[in-house]
Amino acid sequence: MNTSPIGIFDSGVGGTSIWREIHKLLPHENTIYLADSKNAPYGPKGKEKIIELSRKNTELLLQKGCKLIVVACNTATTNAIRHLRKNYTVPFIGIEPAIKPAALQTKSKTIGILATKGTLSSELFHRTSDLYTNGVNIIEQVGEGLVPLIENGKIDSPAMDKLLELYVKPMIAANVDYLVLGCSHYPYLIPKLQKLLPTHVKIIDSGAAVARQTQAILTQNNLSAQETNRGNCIFYSNRNPKVLSDIIQEEFTVEALDF
Ligand code: DGL
């Protein structure tokens, strides 16, 4: 039994959507979450910069004794996870857009994906999407501007409504029946997206799948904490702890930390 924490990082507050799924499935695990909000958004940054930031976050989590690291950011996963796995010995879990289930289940043979520029232009995304989307039309949309609004606590704002409307319009016109959320910030936009999309359009994100994968890898590596443990969760933000605590809405410690 191993009570060392699971480390989770994201470019900001969005990866808490992944943390939530992990905490729901594994409430006995201790977790440490890093919101690198000072450097958000990662999406428009190049691969080298994303690798550098991912290394910085990884090293801090390792210093804090983490036994496994969840890269709760599609942009960091698609650009940096290969590098991280090569250079550090702890297991890494990544998050990628859930293209496969959407492509397998679509009836209109058209699916939409909303993600960052960094994810949509990555080699890993293209490899996965080429593998599963034969005969399926994919409407790719860069969610430019969405992450900065979420990072500034502006989910409910006219600017957000305007951008979302702009981004889903071409998808509706193309008759998508699935919308894949390829950024861990976007699950916080689901209520708004549901209002904009026709009711038959299903929205999928990867949070629950990442939590199941985390559980499997902990078990395989004999790293799980005992189920009687009550998981303690600590959150660090290097920019705006208030936005982070507003988004998690739970009684856990949120601290400012420069990293
Ligand atoms: N949550 C990150 C992701 O999943 C946001 C990327 C960004 O900072 O642009 O891609």
Side-chain angles (χ1 to χ4, degrees):
M1 291 296 146
N2 187 324
T3 48
S4 298
I6 294 173
I8 304 170
F9 77 81
D10 179 39
S11 62
V13 300
T16 54
S17 65
I18 310 296
W19 165 82
R20 207 176 297 287
E21 296 293 338
I22 292 172
H23 184 62
K24 196 161 80 185
L25 186 66
L26 306 167
H28 51 283
E29 292 291 344
N30 300 320
T31 61
I32 296 181
Y33 182 94
L34 298 186
D36 191 14
S37 297
K38 187 171 80 181
N39 293 299
Y42 282 10
K45 297 182 165 65
K47 189 179 168 84
E48 286 313 310
K49 184 71 188 170
I50 296 168
I51 291 176
E52 181 193 316
L53 294 168
S54 300
R55 284 185 68 111
K56 165 187 73 79
N57 299 332
T58 296
E59 278 169 25
L60 178 56
L61 290 170
L62 292 177
Q63 265 172 36
K64 293 191 174 291
C66 292
K67 60 185 174 186
L68 171 148
I69 293 180
V70 179
V71 182
C73 174
N74 291 259
T75 313
T77 299
T78 49
N79 285 277
I81 203 158
R82 261 197 5 218
H83 175 97
L84 297 175
R85 287 190 172 130
K86 236 193 263 165
N87 287 277
Y88 301 94
T89 53
V90 287
F92 284 90
I93 313 280
I95 171 171
E96 283 182 67
I99 287 279
K100 185 180 168 186
L104 290 176
Q105 292 171 68
T106 174
K107 293 203 170 56
S108 65
K109 296 288 167 219
T110 308
I111 64 176
I113 167 154
L114 189 60
T116 68
K117 181 164 167 254
T119 294
L120 291 176
S121 60
S122 70
E123 204 190 303
L124 190 58
F125 170 73
H126 282 284
R127 242 190 295 134
T128 317
S129 108
D130 290 350
L131 211 58
Y132 300 114
T133 56
N134 203 357
V136 174
N137 185 19
I138 307 190
I139 312 294
E140 290 181 16
Q141 177 65 56
V142 173
E144 201 179 332
L146 301 178
V147 168
L149 284 173
I150 298 169
E151 287 297 320
N152 287 304
K154 297 206 168 95
I155 291 177
D156 290 311
S157 64
M160 179 65 85
D161 293 346
K162 214 165 136 191
L163 282 182
L164 289 178
E165 202 180 329
L166 186 73
Y167 296 158
V168 300
K169 234 181 180 168
M171 298 192 190
I172 298 172
N175 194 25
V176 303
D177 57 358
Y178 277 85
L179 169 58
V180 177
L181 301 184
C183 170
S184 57
H185 281 68
Y186 300 168
Y188 290 110
L189 305 176
I190 290 176
K192 287 185 173 288
L193 288 165
Q194 278 168 336
K195 276 193 201 140
L196 289 167
L197 290 163
T199 49
H200 72 279
V201 177
K202 294 194 181 64
I203 301 176
I204 40 181
D205 70 86
S206 324
V210 171
R212 287 194 298 273
Q213 177 70 357
T214 304
Q215 183 179 42
I217 299 295
L218 285 175
T219 309
Q220 261 173 40
N221 290 277
N222 219 359
L223 288 172
S224 308
Q226 50 271 59
E227 295 202 353
T228 49
N229 189 48
R230 190 167 170 272
N232 183 34
C233 305
I234 305 173
F235 295 81
Y236 294 106
S237 166
N238 57 12
R239 183 169 158 254
N240 194 340
K242 165 88 170 70
V243 174
L244 183 56
S245 60
D246 284 352
I247 217 155
I248 60 171
Q249 291 187 338
E250 301 242 15
E251 293 298 310
F252 290 115
T253 315
V254 180
E255 284 179 22
L257 182 72
D258 196 20
F259 61 90

